[in-house]
Amino acid sequence: MNQPVSIILPNYKTPELTRLCLRSLRKYTPHDAVRIIAVDNASGDESLEYLRSLDWIRLIERTPADIAGLEPAVMHTTAMDLAMKEVDTPFVLSFHTDTIVYSPDWLDFLLGRINRDERIAGVGSWKIEFFSAFRRFGKKVEVIENLIKQLLGLKKPEVRFLRSHCALYRTELLRKYTNGFTEGKSAGKAIHKHLTDAGFIMEFIPPEILIKYMDHLNHATMILNPSIGDRKTGTPEMREALDAKMARFRDILADDSLDK
């Protein structure tokens, strides 16, 4: 495999999480299969020093002046578009530092899904999480309640799109039919609409399948940086839950050889 995929990875002040994400990619990805383009949003911390130490990634460093006045979401999407300028592979994968892979088949799986049909412009998910039977029942009840509210005009219909924590696109179509990740408030939302409007397929992979290959530690960057989050993600309970999830990957975190 000769680097068919570029992975674009924004980073902001998450030293341990950044190390875990990249070590998991290094451990479970053929080294000649991907080109990783990391964009640091003026972190100025250990995560930036860690990124600088890796000779197998392309690092783009932004200065405080580059991100001055930007909301966190815009800081993230502009970093993704900055990385896109350097993508020269047939496929590009948007990724988050809180997405952790743990299967050697993860990349082949995604490429297999998108290569099934040339009309498939992107594959990914709305969320990567799998609930217990009890939680799934509760979610079904919630869906029904939301549908009733929508029918009564009390709530707008939810618009789902391939979210940027893990979405694989055909680079050529992304450049030809979209305006990049910065358009709109959510990374990937406008892209999804442009590509479906152009007649292409955007395929959602069920979370119960995708969770076999990776996990998304939801809201981790905001949990670790309460100043850019909200009261919900900044609670001690959210931090404790994140620490418990990261503890499952302690072997990867402890393996310094993965940085080579």
Side-chain angles (χ1 to χ4, degrees), residues 169-188:
Y169 302 96
R170 294 185 186 274
T171 305
E172 180 182 4
L173 300 182
L174 196 63
R175 288 194 167 124
K176 183 176 181 179
Y177 293 99
T178 82
N179 301 311
F181 291 95
T182 309
E183 182 182 3
K185 291 185 177 181
S186 300

Side-chain angles (χ1 to χ4, degrees), residues 14-238:
T14 55
E16 192 172 40
L17 193 64
T18 301
R19 187 177 296 111
L20 173 58
C21 173
L22 282 162
R23 286 182 178 178
S24 74
L25 287 171
R26 190 67 166 169
K27 181 179 178 69
Y28 293 112
T29 311
H31 296 177
D32 62 346
V34 298
R35 181 182 184 226
I36 299 174
I37 306 171
V39 183
D40 181 74
N41 282 313
S43 296
D45 67 350
E46 292 177 18
S47 65
L48 175 56
E49 294 303 317
Y50 174 69
L51 292 173
R52 287 173 173 170
S53 74
L54 305 178
D55 61 8
W56 42 271
I57 69 169
R58 164 72 173 106
L59 174 60
I60 301 172
E61 297 186 33
R62 304 177 87 181
T63 68
D66 293 330
I67 64 170
L70 298 182
E71 296 179 0
V74 179
M75 184 172 67
H76 183 85
T77 56
T78 52
M80 296 174 74
D81 280 340
L82 192 62
M84 273 299 301
K85 294 179 180 179
E86 300 202 11
V87 172
D88 58 0
T89 52
F91 300 98
V92 58
L93 178 72
S94 66
F95 216 67
H96 287 191
T97 52
D98 57 7
T99 301
I100 314 301
V101 300
Y102 41 68
S103 168
D105 300 321
W106 77 272
L107 185 60
D108 284 340
F109 169 74
L110 291 177
L111 287 170
R113 298 288 292 223
I114 201 169
N115 280 323
R116 288 186 301 112
D117 191 323
E118 291 184 353
R119 294 172 299 169
I120 300 177
V123 298
S125 73
W126 171 245
K127 292 184 178 181
I128 308 176
E129 55 188 356
F130 187 61
F131 300 110
S132 66
F134 179 77
R135 287 287 304 279
R136 290 199 299 274
F137 174 76
K139 286 289 181 180
K140 289 180 180 178
V141 172
E142 183 181 345
V143 169
I144 294 172
E145 290 177 346
N146 288 336
L147 181 60
I148 293 173
K149 289 179 181 179
Q150 291 168 17
L151 292 173
L152 294 174
L154 301 176
K155 186 174 184 177
K156 293 182 179 179
E158 182 178 61
V159 178
R160 295 197 170 193
F161 56 94
L162 299 186
R163 297 176 70 179
S164 61
H165 50 248
C166 179
L168 181 67
Y169 302 96
R170 294 185 186 274
T171 305
E172 180 182 4
L173 300 182
L174 196 63
R175 288 194 167 124
K176 183 176 181 179
Y177 293 99
T178 82
N179 301 311
F181 291 95
T182 309
E183 182 182 3
K185 291 185 177 181
S186 300
K189 186 174 182 179
I191 285 174
H192 194 106
K193 185 177 188 306
H194 286 312
L195 289 170
T196 52
D197 286 350
F200 294 102
I201 300 168
M202 302 294 278
E203 181 180 290
F204 288 96
I205 301 173
E208 61 267 26
I209 295 178
L210 202 52
I211 201 73
K212 297 176 183 178
Y213 302 91
M214 64 188 69
D215 197 2
H216 179 223
L217 309 183
N218 207 18
H219 303 307
T221 299
M222 291 190 293
I223 294 170
L224 295 172
N225 294 280
S227 62
I228 67 169
D230 54 29
R231 283 180 292 180
K232 180 180 178 182
T233 58
T235 64
E237 291 78 14
M238 291 289 284

Side-chain angles (χ1 to χ4, degrees), residues 23 27 246-256 258:
R23 286 182 178 178
K27 181 179 178 69
M246 290 183 66
R248 294 180 298 164
F249 306 105
R250 60 173 63 91
D251 291 345
I252 295 177
L253 270 173
D255 191 351
D256 294 343
L258 293 170

